[in-house]
Amino acid sequence: MKITNLNPDSAIGATAWFVELEGHRLLMDAGTHPRVEGRAALPRYDLVKKEELDAIAISHCHHDHVGSLPVAMRYFPNAHVLMTELSYFLVERVLHNSVNVMKRQHEELGLRDYPLYSHDEVDDIAPRFQGFKYNREVDWASFHKTRAGFLSPTLEFYDAGHTLGSAGLMVRGQRETLFYTGDVCFHDQTILRGARFEDIKADVLVMETTRGNRARPSGFTRATETERLSQAIERVLAQKGSVLIPAFALGRTQEILALLALLMGEGKLKPQPIYIGGLGRVFTEIYDLESHRTHRQYPNLQLREALNLTVLEKGQAEKMKLTGGRIFVITAGMLSEHTAAHSLALRMIGDERHAIFFVGYADPDTPGGRLKAAKPGETFILSPTAGKVTRRCEMLDFDLTAHSDRNDLLDFVGEVEPRAVLLSHGEEDSRDWFAEQIHVRHPRIKIIRPKAAEAVEV
Ligand SMILES: [Zn+2]
Ligand SMILES: [Zn+2]
């Protein structure tokens, strides 16, 4: 089998794997790079543009995995796109939103490459999307007219527990098998339950390594971390300050909303509106609608009924009164410029009554990352538009990750018993850790660290 890493980065970037197995070709994921702008954020589709593709399979609807799907389909206009049925409900919203964001960046930041695709293009490709249940084998190449009837590899989606609809992909050929973890979470989150990657054996394993550079501190549990966040919110509201929780719209937002709903249910938090962004509301609605088809906790918890969710209107973040205690769970986890989260943060940073609580990763070179690094009283440049600010607000970081602990993933490698493992979706030091540990525990497994744009024969 031959696997080409189309990601222009060897770490977390624009995920896209081109797989050739027994004469068939599959593209796994079609992402965009979260920290690069313009055409440079795209996978290297040019490397495989002459190939004929049977299908595109999507692991989940985060941008680093699906953000360039319309571009991929320009190269492979006949390919069907296979995903879980839960992702099927999300994917068009994600792509249309991405067009809106790129259009705004075109205007506000003068990014001339943007948008990389249009609303019409998203509508045009949507009929080629197909959703499947977890744990059903799909004969992927049969979607391809000229190959129908041949003995072809199959595809099966396994629940990855990372976000609504997320999946690991099992590709079974006549002679060989490949398993791709996508982004995976083995522990339960507040809503989603952990991955169901049971009894998986494969010859080749392509896996994420996001948390390879983070040891779980002794005594750390998700429950104690959630409790710490709950107490912090209660404390800030009691002193009439506002709380801003920057969170990505798909997944993290709903996990935090569930936490707030539970706190209100227990009487620990007084009922009050929760301010969210438009996209966060849409995904929350889909979490509610699909609650009984999701492997989750509290299947009867409907976030829109349990909470008074209020979508921030345009310009409201700049004007509304912040004293008196308000809660914002707003998209732009890294506080990117030209977002409501950025405007709110700018108004809150200098006031010690307010608090900004991070619940996810923020790249050091973003406004969120710079705020995370700032000590109380420190003056620093938040962003080019905001300029210098002095941090007086409370700022805390909570580890509510939707990625597996590294030891759980390492155990998984032992269960799968692949002859080769490809390490991806992680920083250099994360992949170093996995390479060392796998080498020690399973010396017979070949460890491959595909570089950007590298093709490997496995
Ligand atoms: Zn993800
Ligand atoms: Zn990812």
Side-chain angles (χ1 to χ4, degrees), residues 60 62 64-65 162-163 183 403 425:
H60 67 292
H62 281 152
D64 55 325
H65 299 262
H162 168 70
T163 191
D183 290 355
H403 289 273
H425 201 287

Side-chain angles (χ1 to χ4, degrees), residues 40-52:
L42 292 172
R44 295 286 309 275
Y45 296 123
D46 57 298
L47 297 174
V48 292
K49 65 182 175 194
K50 293 207 174 71
E51 306 282 347
E52 207 182 337

